[in-house]
Amino acid sequence: MTMTVQTLAPLLTEKLLSSFGKTVDEATNKEVFQSICLLMKESIHPNWQTTQQKYVEAESKQVYYFSMEFLLGRLVETNLLNAGELDLYKDTLSSMGFNPEEVFHEELDAGLGNGGLGRLAACFLDSLSSLQLPGHGMGIRYKYGLFQQKVVDGHQVELPDNWLRDEYMWETKREEKAIEVRFGGTVETTYEDDKLVFHHHDYERVLAIPYDVPIVGFENKTVNTLRLWSAESTTNHFHFNSSRGHDYYHYLDYKRSVEKISEFLYPDDSYYEGKILRLKQQYFLVSAGLQSILRRFKKQYKCFDLLPEKIVLQINDTHPSLIVPELMRILLDDEGLSWEQAWKITEKTVAYTNHTTLSEALEKWPEAMIEDLFPRLYMIIHEINERFCKMLWFDFPELREQIPAMAIISYGNIHMAHLAMVGSFSINGVARLHTDILKNRVMKPFNIVYPDRFNNKTNGITHRRWLLNVNPDLADEITKTIGDQWIKKPEFLKNLQSFATNPELQENIAKVKHENKKKLATFIKDQYGITINDQSIVDVHIKRLHGYKRQLLNLFHIIYLYNQCIENPSLDLYPRTFIFGAKAAPGYTFAKHVIKLINAVAEKVNNHPHVRDKVKVVFMENYQVSLAERIIPAADVSEQISTASKEASGTGNMKLMMNGALTIGTEDGANVEIRERVGAENIFTFGLSSEEVFSHQHRGDYRARDYYNNDSRIKQIMDLLVNEHFSNDDVEFKDIFYSLLFNNDEYFVLKDFDSYISAQQAVELTYRNQSSWLQKSIINIAHSGYFSSDRTIQQYAKDIWNIKPQR
Ligand code: 26W
């Protein structure tokens, strides 16, 4: 039976009554939202059960994507869209007197991630289900997601993200599937029947409870699982001892220490901090996830030799790399396999994705910490290291000198990337340039030892969320022009290319963009009281705040324009609105200073009579998935200006091009592949290449000071930072000034300034020629199909996982 507004409205009315005792007139938006979820689950849950049963019956190989982060955002629209019911629900809600957007926005973002790495995991889940591939997520159900950001007097203030304060409608608690995870204690080794046996004593028991979230495929009835683990304590798991006093207090201590494990997500993107709790979280995820997978596996298959044929464990960066020794531990100690058997299986089951080459982000844990927390795993890591180093010594004499640099354990640290590489059958980077840098520089000796393991999988984004859902009017224009095949097969977007110069399409696309800008302008007016010109160029820089992402370079361009407008009040500048969205890690002082500077510059620019009608600057607070969804459809210019070689891929670049924004960017990460596809004339490339960056670093011949002394524009901008122009208390800005001059500008901001300014001038010039701009915009949309995560996931499925769709 196909549903209509006439059949759905009474169902929703009935749900409101039976669940909340409310009539339509009485119901709140939240109750309506929750009723929608309840109705949705009635159809999702049976499909979920069937999907899982099918996988078992077909003995399908299954992938488990282990990730410390899943940045899901809201699910209600995705689930409705994928069920093919989004429009139906929107119409029904409107007919009942509700505002669909307001109702959907009752769902709080699941912000269980920092940035790209977490959002990638979420896009991958969507593609796995939509392609009917047997693949599931394993993550942590943090009680608090990434902090909520407020801006107070231009400063970032962090507040807890209490996303579970209302019931999370999509999850199902599976108490009966709890797993015990063990920390600390001691290991006793004995000989039994000629075999070494390891007994683990005096450990702390932590109960891992899974909460399952259904991941609904697009119009296909496939429902996979995202399993999120929560650390809980129960009195059953605490040994009360009547001979000991104060047991109740011990219990409370124990309970608190257990619950801390899944309490919050660490807000540290691209910087590694050796925090013990973070390490506990990593093992908690790995051990609970793996035990639950192997329990299922054992129910169905008798022999562990089959494991690599039936299961793949894909690890999202090194964060879950303890999965290597944990799998070894289970196979050796619990299942009684020999080292050789266990290692053969492990090495064929685990696969590793690298997301960064920044040395400060590569995880190294002190040996003592690992030994204390996981004494048995420590022994196993030691053995893996011994065998690996021996193998290097005998099989790769040419690498002998490099053994200390390649060892898993060296100078008192355990190198997680080395552990991950040694224990995996696949090692992949996330964009071609990034993979090349891994192979030829950062992990070069490993590529000599394991040439077959290295491969590239250029990132992607789900076009269902990032085009169809966030920009329905653009999606309609596309469908009117080339038909709707692109929705299931995003590569068909290419067919737009031949319409790039079509005046009618250009005009319609311009109209859609303008409407989207008007919506964004209204939101900005409501939130911040800032009026933006909806005819201006909307230039967006949205991503985490980091030195290498160079929000500062963008800001220098803005200050340059500000100076120009003041010097020449009749300057003919095309009006531009600069939008920033960015959170800074709470301990990253420099990043926080840049936020302060953005806000200080905004204050000046937006109020200066000679500037404010030409340039506007808006720092949008609390950047998160749902805010990205508002900004991206309205964007004209996409800022992808990282120091070349530093951004592994970027995925915001893909979302923005898919919505018709033109990129201004360096030859970094996936920008390189975007440029290759759209053609050099449809992207604004500038700055040092990654090779040039490496060579300056190698030769040590960059002198930031020369740029300050020799480029009057740079000097003028930088002097404003330290002469109390932007704030009469400008210690923060002095700090930025010093980092550029006295720390020699680690990210080459001053070096790339001139070429960035020229590229920005080209942007303006092109924008003035609307038909040329729109042509480029359409070409960008046409080539964005390649950057769908459907393509990425198909490559993982074929080249790494060896899994097939299960229809
Ligand atoms: C251990 C601390 C820590 C935490 C998170 C170090 C590193 C990370 C992540 C790897 C940071 C991250 O999100 N990386 C981004 O991953 C995206 C998806 O592949 C890429 O598009 C981005 O370029 C990369 O910065």
Side-chain angles (χ1 to χ4, degrees):
M1 183 193 82
T2 50
M3 286 251 248
T4 61
V5 172
Q6 284 68 38
T7 51
L8 180 57
L11 288 178
L12 207 50
T13 307
E14 161 60 25
K15 220 7 123 210
L16 280 168
L17 195 59
S18 62
S19 302
F20 300 100
K22 292 270 185 87
T23 64
V24 170
D25 292 338
E26 295 162 343
T28 63
N29 278 338
K30 188 186 285 180
E31 287 157 349
V32 177
F33 160 68
Q34 293 187 332
S35 300
I36 294 173
C37 296
L38 294 171
L39 272 184
M40 292 288 301
K41 289 204 277 193
E42 288 173 19
S43 57
I44 293 173
H45 283 214
N47 288 340
W48 199 2
Q49 202 282 331
T50 316
T51 305
Q52 303 313 309
Q53 195 184 326
K54 279 270 155 61
Y55 292 160
V56 173
E57 282 165 14
E59 302 192 350
S60 318
K61 183 174 187 183
Q62 315 222 19
V63 177
Y64 295 90
Y65 196 81
F66 277 74
S67 177
M68 291 286 283
E69 307 191 4
F70 285 93
L71 235 184
L72 297 173
R74 281 195 299 265
L75 282 184
V76 64
E77 284 141 292
T78 300
N79 285 347
L80 287 169
L81 181 82
N82 289 3
E85 294 176 345
L86 183 57
D87 289 336
L88 170 69
Y89 271 80
K90 281 185 185 168
D91 295 345
T92 307
L93 286 170
S94 304
S95 81
M96 292 168 76
F98 296 104
N99 175 334
E101 187 176 303
E102 282 173 17
V103 170
F104 297 153
H105 288 203
E106 285 294 328
E107 180 171 353
L108 300 176
D109 274 40
L112 309 183
N114 273 288
L117 164 134
R119 182 56 230 176
L120 185 75
C123 285
F124 280 6
L125 293 180
D126 183 79
S127 287
L128 280 164
S129 290
S130 295
L131 297 166
Q132 304 198 286
L133 289 163
H136 315 280
M138 282 286 182
I140 295 179
R141 182 180 179 271
Y142 302 103
K143 191 166 165 204
Y144 298 95
L146 188 65
F147 65 86
Q148 299 275 319
Q149 178 193 56
K150 284 250 172 275
V151 175
V152 180
D153 297 333
H155 292 279
Q156 165 174 297
V157 173
E158 301 99 24
L159 301 173
D161 168 50
N162 191 6
W163 73 293
L164 291 171
R165 65 177 173 268
D166 303 330
E167 182 186 356
Y168 186 51
M169 293 305 291
W170 304 112
E171 71 185 3
T172 304
K173 181 174 184 175
R174 307 251 187 238
E175 206 154 7
E176 73 286 4
K177 297 198 167 150
I179 298 272
E180 182 181 297
V181 178
R182 302 173 174 183
F183 291 91
T186 50
V187 176
E188 179 200 3
T189 314
T190 59
Y191 244 108
E192 285 167 32
D193 304 330
D194 265 1
K195 263 190 102 173
L196 275 177
V197 181
F198 300 89
H199 306 273
H200 195 180
H201 303 295
D202 302 325
Y203 46 82
E204 182 179 69
R205 296 155 186 256
V206 173
L207 205 59
I209 312 280
Y211 288 72
D212 288 351
V213 178
I215 304 295
V216 179
F218 183 71
E219 295 183 354
N220 65 15
K221 297 197 161 133
T222 293
V223 182
N224 290 326
T225 305
L226 167 60
R227 177 159 283 185
L228 297 175
W229 295 93
S230 173
E232 295 179 15
S233 64
T234 61
T235 44
N236 305 342
H237 286 257
F238 185 78
H239 298 291
F240 282 97
N241 181 346
S242 57
S243 68
R244 209 166 51 196
H246 305 302
D247 236 20
Y248 181 61
Y249 296 108
H250 280 127
Y251 172 70
L252 290 181
D253 283 347
Y254 156 76
K255 182 173 150 70
R256 265 192 293 269
S257 95
V258 165
E259 288 169 1
K260 262 203 316 226
I261 294 175
S262 57
E263 189 151 65
F264 74 100
L265 165 78
Y266 271 96
D268 55 356
D269 179 302
S270 305
Y271 186 79
Y272 154 76
E273 272 188 285
K275 291 267 167 58
I276 198 159
L277 184 57
R278 165 90 180 175
L279 182 58
K280 277 182 130 179
Q281 292 184 333
Q282 297 184 349
Y283 181 64
F284 174 73
L285 164 65
V286 159
S287 182
L290 189 54
Q291 288 187 59
S292 77
I293 291 165
L294 294 181
R295 185 160 65 187
R296 268 250 62 245
F297 175 85
K298 269 176 79 166
K299 252 202 216 155
Q300 193 168 7
Y301 306 102
K302 297 288 152 292
C303 174
F304 274 94
D305 289 337
L306 272 181
L307 198 72
E309 277 170 53
K310 295 298 171 192
I311 282 174
V312 188
L313 307 169
Q314 184 73 43
I315 58 173
N316 200 17
D317 216 277
T318 55
H319 318 152
S321 51
L322 288 173
I323 204 158
V324 172
E326 177 69 355
L327 178 54
M328 286 297 287
R329 182 190 67 79
I330 295 174
L331 296 177
L332 293 168
D333 299 358
D334 299 351
E335 304 301 334
L337 270 61
S338 71
W339 183 278
E340 288 70 21
Q341 286 172 307
W343 185 248
K344 224 167 100 185
I345 293 169
T346 301
E347 233 186 351
K348 281 197 272 176
T349 308
V350 180
Y352 157 53
T353 304
N354 173 287
H355 296 264
T356 184
T357 57
L358 300 183
S359 56
E360 65 270 29
L362 294 178
E363 291 187 293
K364 306 177 240 334
W365 295 100
E367 266 187 281
M369 218 150 128
I370 301 255
E371 187 175 12
D372 279 358
L373 277 179
F374 327 111
R376 179 62 181 130
L377 257 54
Y378 177 70
M379 299 164 87
I380 294 171
I381 295 170
H382 233 280
E383 183 70 24
I384 297 173
N385 183 51
E386 287 278 322
R387 289 175 185 244
F388 172 63
C389 293
K390 262 194 202 128
M391 182 277 287
L392 289 178
W393 181 266
F394 290 111
D395 298 353
F396 295 90
E398 73 275 24
L399 291 178
R400 279 183 190 170
E401 281 190 2
Q402 306 215 43
I403 294 178
M406 296 176 73
I408 297 168
I409 306 179
S410 64
Y411 305 109
N413 283 317
I414 305 201
H415 295 252
M416 304 314 260
H418 301 182
L419 177 63
M421 287 190 279
V422 172
S424 305
F425 67 92
S426 164
I427 303 163
N428 79 280
V430 290
R432 196 180 61 223
L433 175 69
H434 168 63
T435 302
D436 289 343
I437 292 173
L438 286 178
K439 284 166 61 170
N440 302 326
R441 292 177 180 272
V442 184
M443 284 152 183
K444 189 171 178 181
F446 287 90
N447 188 42
I448 295 173
V449 180
Y450 305 120
D452 300 336
R453 292 188 184 186
F454 283 83
N455 65 95
N456 175 245
K457 296 288 165 285
T458 298
N459 281 168
I461 55 168
T462 165
H463 62 288
R464 287 168 289 276
R465 177 184 286 259
W466 295 109
L467 175 50
L468 198 53
N469 188 22
V470 303
N471 202 345
D473 296 335
L474 178 60
D476 281 348
E477 282 312 320
I478 296 170
T479 298
K480 270 194 256 157
T481 312
I482 59 169
D484 66 1
Q485 263 177 311
W486 66 273
I487 295 173
K488 289 225 160 139
K489 297 210 171 348
E491 62 273 20
F492 276 88
L493 283 172
K494 263 233 176 99
N495 292 338
L496 270 181
Q497 172 100 11
S498 52
F499 294 88
T501 52
N502 180 306
E504 196 188 322
L505 181 64
Q506 289 192 353
E507 193 184 317
N508 292 342
I509 284 197
K511 257 192 217 141
V512 169
K513 187 63 84 186
H514 185 229
E515 286 305 313
N516 293 338
K517 286 186 194 178
K518 287 206 288 204
K519 273 189 225 153
L520 182 65
T522 308
F523 180 78
I524 288 173
K525 182 82 197 167
D526 289 351
Q527 295 287 311
Y528 313 110
I530 301 173
T531 307
I532 66 166
N533 175 355
D534 58 42
Q535 304 283 356
S536 64
I537 303 175
V538 175
D539 183 319
V540 313
H541 202 161
I542 45 176
K543 50 186 80 250
R544 305 224 53 225
L545 218 137
H546 200 289
Y548 85 78
K549 294 176 187 279
R550 298 202 292 193
Q551 280 90 355
L552 195 56
L553 179 57
N554 185 344
L555 210 45
F556 271 32
H557 171 238
I558 295 170
I559 300 173
Y560 167 72
L561 294 179
Y562 168 79
N563 289 339
Q564 291 250 297
C565 290
I566 291 173
E567 272 162 37
N568 175 7
S570 59
L571 182 75
D572 179 24
L573 202 66
Y574 201 98
R576 232 202 260 212
T577 303
F578 293 93
I579 290 179
F580 290 90
K583 288 178 180 172
Y588 191 177
T589 318
F590 174 82
K592 290 186 148 178
H593 293 170
V594 174
I595 290 185
K596 177 81 215 284
L597 184 59
I598 297 172
N599 285 301
V601 170
E603 186 67 29
K604 282 275 177 206
V605 165
N606 297 348
N607 294 304
H608 195 290
H610 296 159
V611 188
R612 66 185 175 210
D613 295 331
K614 294 172 192 158
V615 184
K616 279 272 155 71
V617 180
V618 185
F619 183 88
M620 295 187 70
E621 119 195 309
N622 201 33
Y623 181 61
Q624 54 176 347
V625 173
S626 54
L627 196 59
E629 291 171 349
R630 289 184 189 275
I631 299 170
I632 290 171
D636 295 309
V637 178
S638 162
E639 298 278 350
Q640 308 300 335
I641 61 176
S642 53
T643 311
S645 80
K646 304 265 179 197
E647 187 71 272
S649 162
T651 44
N653 44 4
M654 302 170 185
K655 292 163 199 164
L656 284 155
M657 85 182 283
M658 194 174 267
N659 283 273
L662 302 197
T663 304
I664 178 163
T666 46
E667 287 182 68
D668 201 15
N671 298 352
V672 176
E673 289 160 79
I674 291 176
R675 179 167 197 250
E676 206 169 85
R677 279 166 198 276
V678 300
E681 65 286 9
N682 297 305
I683 185 168
F684 302 92
T685 305
F686 73 96
L688 293 172
S689 69
S690 53
E691 286 305 318
E692 286 166 339
V693 168
F694 289 132
S695 112
H696 283 305
Q697 286 168 339
H698 180 73
R699 297 202 305 258
D701 61 356
Y702 171 51
R703 282 170 37 107
R705 206 182 279 257
D706 295 346
Y707 290 81
Y708 173 79
N709 290 329
N710 301 331
D711 187 328
S712 60
R713 299 165 303 176
I714 291 181
K715 183 161 190 326
Q716 191 186 3
I717 294 164
M718 286 186 58
D719 289 347
L720 289 180
L721 300 185
V722 291
N723 68 6
E724 304 198 339
H725 180 83
F726 290 115
S727 149
N728 38 25
D729 172 24
D730 56 8
V731 277
E732 292 103 340
F733 309 154
K734 292 199 168 92
D735 180 68
I736 294 173
F737 183 93
Y738 294 144
S739 85
L740 294 173
L741 277 202
F742 306 121
N743 286 335
N744 202 31
D745 182 16
E746 189 183 350
Y747 299 108
F748 298 91
V749 172
L750 306 188
K751 175 96 190 159
D752 275 347
F753 176 81
D754 177 64
S755 128
Y756 182 57
I757 298 292
S758 306
Q760 285 290 18
Q761 282 160 354
V763 167
E764 176 176 329
L765 207 62
T766 311
Y767 196 85
R768 285 174 186 271
N769 179 346
Q770 269 296 290
S771 82
S772 161
W773 183 271
L774 288 164
Q775 176 184 349
K776 294 177 195 300
S777 171
I778 294 168
I779 291 172
N780 269 269
I781 301 169
H783 289 281
S784 69
Y786 178 78
F787 298 101
S788 166
S789 46
D790 286 6
R791 184 269 312 152
T792 313
I793 284 296
Q794 275 160 333
Q795 293 177 336
Y796 274 89
K798 181 166 165 288
D799 304 341
I800 304 178
W801 300 335
N802 189 24
I803 57 168
K804 303 243 144 43
Q806 179 68 56
R807 298 190 208 283

